[in-house]
Amino acid sequence: MGKKKLVVIGDEIDGIKAAARAICQNPEVEAKVLIPGKYPSFNSYMLSYFIQNSEEDVFSLVEGIMDNFRVQGSMDILTETRVTDILPVEKKVIFEELKDGHSSVLEYDKLIIATGASPVVPAIEGINLGNVLFLKSPEDVAIIQEGIKEGRLKKAVVVGAHMAGVYLAESLWKRGVKVSLVERGSQILPELDIEMAELVRRQMGRKGVEVLVGEKVLSLIGNAKGDVVEVHTPEHIIPADVVIWLDDMKPNVEVAKKAGIIIGASGAIEVDQYMETNVPGIYAMGSCAERVHHITGKPVWVYWQAVDDVALHVISQNILGDNDCMLEKGVLGAIGIQAFDLGIARAGLSLQQAWQEGYDGEAAIVSVYDDRYAGGGGYRENTIKLIVNRSNGKIMGVQCVGGALSDKLVDIVATVMGMDGTVKDLAVLDLISMNQHPILLVAHVMLNKLQGKLKGISPLELSSLVHNEEVVLLDVRTESEFKMGTLPGAINIPLEELENRKDELDRERLIVLISERGRRASLAYVKLKQLGFERLRVLDGGLLIYPFV
């Protein structure tokens, strides 16, 4: 019996790793990998890493990775090849060798599609100018590295302020480049709710990064040499030595679609619980494949920050047998970066997404000075936001901004979320340093909200009410703290004076209670409730994380 023939098409590293794992588990597998360029593709996060770590050679790393894959077993990586057709009935792949235009045919027993994703190139003036990059290859990294080293690249404009855009901005900023980050939407980091994203934007401003939101790029202006020198938006003209466009991505599905493989509602390749397409023996993984969201149960396309290890395991097992391995759960879209001395991480749905999906979402926010969790360095104020379904207490999402271990906090919540856990499950976790642990704190705040013991108001909600005459902003900190800064129009009655000065408050108006992190405001809420006040709210997270001032 001959060897089982495995063909991987596409340059995304997930597909190559799946082939390597299958070979290690069964020497009878023989793999050929067809990639369109000289190297496997890496996402913008990995490429950004090499921009800020200039001492590491991206080409050496990529070539080392390819050599390691080749020596692991019967794997042949064919570079500079373009797959033109998949013939499912004949179980053949037709590809063109780009160097000489010669066409060849490969037979397969199993096929993995790992064609990844590509930037969406906008139809605007100047998009084809020199030094307009889409950060899709090691060559792009080399152009940026050389420009910085030679002193030609001093001003950069990054278009697209999602996680990848923020991380790229950090990488350039660390190299001494003046960075402008331009986002056409109403906020940076659309993966987060706006008050959490604003914490990041405010920190970026402190670091000297120009952040423009609600600004669509209208045109790119070049010089006589054909290089970009300016970015024009409706409100700004931004000087630029390089423009890096990360505004939008799309899955590469053209070859699959041509072969009769179903493209899902998200625009990516539809796969089942075995990561198999509608065509038996053909699998898809990575950024070209559609997944199911664990919370909503709906198809979703996720542009992966790193390798999808769960899918990698499932496919490598199923290549060897008869689909013996299946996905047990959907994805939560967990992602995390370190940027501008902040840990930024999230998983599941944002509160806005939960509402859009028709859930009765509730949120709780706490802020903890995380000296014990940050390892002694970095930004210490750690803000965590928890989103649950009011009807059953199930956790729907989590976001964290601040400490160096933000991603670890999100990992803990995501683990409980993946087990369909509730906020009660979260509240009884036996964690190291349980006193003032941010996860336990936010869980207990949420339980108090769900049980009607506390009513909060989000920073975003309050931002639209601060000038409303029907609202009283009551700062319950000490007088000296109050004088150091508070919200516009706020009055001060320290917590310990509330009972004696209760008559100074109008019971008919909505009273929003304010303190540094919300702890004293929560105590004030209980006290005023006992004194007969009904229209009360506590500012979620407290003044320290209120970003709209």
Side-chain angles (χ1 to χ4, degrees), residues 153-175:
L153 200 166
K154 298 180 180 179
K155 302 181 293 292
V157 175
V158 177
V159 182
H162 40 69
M163 286 272 197
V166 170
Y167 187 58
L168 173 59
E170 140 100 350
S171 299
L172 293 164
W173 171 80
K174 276 194 167 181
R175 296 295 311 279

Side-chain angles (χ1 to χ4, degrees), residues 21 51 94 111 209 280 303 308 364 378 396 410 420 434 448 469:
R21 186 175 294 185
I51 291 172
I94 300 174
L111 176 69
V209 176
Y303 177 55
D308 182 2
M396 305 182 70
V410 167
D420 295 322
M434 289 184 64
N448 285 335
E469 294 182 356

Side-chain angles (χ1 to χ4, degrees), residues 357-429:
E357 292 291 338
Y359 295 105
D360 186 11
E362 178 64 88
I365 305 174
V366 301
S367 182
V368 176
Y369 188 77
D370 69 345
D371 186 46
R372 283 165 292 181
Y373 311 110
Y379 187 79
R380 304 296 180 86
E381 203 62 43
N382 206 337
T383 302
I384 186 166
K385 179 173 184 177
L386 185 69
I387 298 99
V388 306
N389 189 341
R390 289 187 63 90
S391 65
N392 56 19
K394 280 192 175 181
I395 305 168
M396 305 182 70
V398 61
Q399 302 166 30
C400 195
V401 172
L405 298 184
S406 291
D407 55 344
K408 304 306 180 187
L409 298 176
V410 167
D411 278 345
I412 293 171
V413 180
T415 300
V416 178
M417 206 185 318
M419 297 176 179
D420 295 322
T422 68
V423 65
K424 288 183 179 180
D425 298 320
L426 198 65
V428 297
L429 289 179

Side-chain angles (χ1 to χ4, degrees), residues 435-495:
N435 183 37
Q436 296 292 297
H437 196 293
I439 287 178
L440 301 180
L441 280 173
V442 76
H444 285 291
V445 170
M446 179 64 78
L447 285 174
N448 285 335
K449 283 190 169 188
L450 296 182
Q451 294 165 4
K453 297 177 181 178
L454 179 72
K455 290 185 178 180
I457 185 169
S458 74
L460 180 61
E461 290 177 287
L462 183 59
S463 68
S464 64
L465 296 175
V466 288
H467 300 297
N468 190 321
E469 294 182 356
E470 294 302 312
V471 176
V472 177
L473 304 179
L474 177 57
D475 191 325
V476 298
R477 297 175 299 160
T478 65
E479 183 179 357
S480 60
E481 288 176 296
F482 177 78
K483 288 180 178 179
M484 291 176 65
T486 189
L487 296 185
I491 63 173
N492 178 225
I493 302 179
L495 174 62

Side-chain angles (χ1 to χ4, degrees), residues 92-216:
K92 293 179 180 178
V93 170
I94 300 174
F95 66 95
E96 177 186 358
E97 296 179 17
L98 297 177
K99 289 182 179 179
D100 56 18
H102 178 70
S103 291
S104 299
V105 177
L106 277 178
E107 295 182 352
Y108 67 85
D109 296 305
K110 296 286 182 77
L111 176 69
I112 298 175
I113 302 174
T115 44
S118 295
V120 175
V121 180
I124 65 169
E125 177 188 350
I127 196 64
N128 295 316
L129 287 168
N131 285 354
V132 178
L133 306 175
F134 291 87
L135 199 61
K136 56 185 180 180
S137 68
E139 289 85 354
D140 287 344
V141 173
I143 291 171
I144 295 169
Q145 290 281 32
E146 290 170 9
I148 294 173
K149 183 178 180 180
E150 296 171 3
R152 294 181 287 101
L153 200 166
K154 298 180 180 179
K155 302 181 293 292
V157 175
V158 177
V159 182
H162 40 69
M163 286 272 197
V166 170
Y167 187 58
L168 173 59
E170 140 100 350
S171 299
L172 293 164
W173 171 80
K174 276 194 167 181
R175 296 295 311 279
V177 178
K178 179 176 174 55
V179 182
S180 297
L181 183 62
V182 180
E183 169 58 43
R184 60 179 171 172
S186 59
Q187 68 173 78
I188 68 167
L189 295 170
E191 300 95 332
L192 306 181
D193 285 311
I194 187 168
E195 66 266 26
M196 300 293 282
E198 280 294 297
L199 295 175
V200 181
R201 185 193 61 79
R202 190 166 61 177
Q203 176 79 342
M204 292 175 71
R206 285 193 285 260
K207 298 291 187 179
V209 176
E210 181 182 40
V211 181
L212 305 175
V213 297
E215 292 278 348
K216 182 179 180 181

